[in-house]
Amino acid sequence: MRVLVVEDERRMAAALQRGLQAEGFAVDLAHDGEEGLHLARQGDYDVLVLDIMLPRLSGYNVCKQLRAEENWVPILMLSAKDGEYDMADGLDLGADDYLTKPFSYVVLVARLRALLRRGAARRPAVLRAGDLSLDPARRKVFRGRTPVELTPREFALLEYLLRRHDEVVSKAEILEHVWDTFDTDPNVVEVYVGYLRRKIDAPFSRNALQTVRGAGYRLAGDGG
């Protein structure tokens, strides 16, 4: 398995390289953000270990740029920044895991193996269907450049449908994942689908949110 370690502290980077090689990994090093981004673009890596406080380009920006380019290589952020908002920022930008320094080497290796088991599945930070976009971290929805104001429940419903775009989802599935219950009257789903259509479709003459008779609903992946 090929690992790219992007760490500006050279002694730390060398120690990581030796330790990971002893575990059977092939390891390349980069010592600044621009070099790390270049190697991540060019190399066929299975996982990245990415420091945040890097010269020339921060780890946040490296992660953000890779995800914007639809590069889904698993990323573990490794940083001395241990605040909850620092962790949240890294994960919201598309990182898969976050480990603070000082760290347990045993835990680092275990987390890398867990990321490798998951693989490089598509997991964009911003969900899109055509020109319809939803940013879970910023709680923003747009049709093209036009912002769309949604209630928290409408937002949760749209996020679930975008994550399952082009799939038919039943009322029962929606109730379980958006309302977290099976006890709610299923008709509430129809009501909120109607609310959503009046905000994301009708003002723009679109038909993204479709009813599949007898089965449920489908959000068109092209945005309708």
Side-chain angles (χ1 to χ4, degrees), residues 19-45:
L20 291 173
Q21 285 175 340
E23 295 288 337
F25 295 98
V27 183
D28 291 336
L29 299 180
H31 299 296
D32 65 65
E34 287 187 1
E35 182 187 12
L37 179 60
H38 173 74
L39 288 175
R41 284 169 167 164
Q42 301 300 319
D44 185 20
Y45 293 102

Side-chain angles (χ1 to χ4, degrees), residues 7 12 25 180:
E7 167 62 65
M12 169 71 78
F25 295 98
D180 195 26

Side-chain angles (χ1 to χ4, degrees), residues 1 45-47 67 72-75 96 112-123:
M1 292 295 179
Y45 293 102
D46 297 293
V47 66
R67 296 312 189 226
W72 308 116
V73 60
I75 295 175
D96 301 277
L112 288 178
R113 295 200 186 281
L115 291 178
L116 290 167
R117 286 195 296 271
R118 296 176 206 165
R122 189 175 186 274
R123 47 195 179 284

Side-chain angles (χ1 to χ4, degrees), residues 64 67-68 70 72 92-94 122-129 132-138 140-142 162-163:
K64 182 178 181 180
R67 296 312 189 226
E70 299 196 350
W72 308 116
D92 283 338
L93 286 171
R122 189 175 186 274
R123 47 195 179 284
V126 176
L127 306 176
R128 302 183 188 278
L132 178 64
S133 64
L134 180 149
D135 186 333
R138 295 172 57 223
K140 299 288 187 181
V141 175
F142 288 88
L162 278 167
R163 292 188 186 279

Side-chain angles (χ1 to χ4, degrees), residues 172-184:
E173 289 176 293
I174 293 172
L175 284 174
E176 179 183 3
H177 291 277
V178 178
W179 273 264
D180 195 26
T181 180
F182 290 105
D183 298 331
T184 304

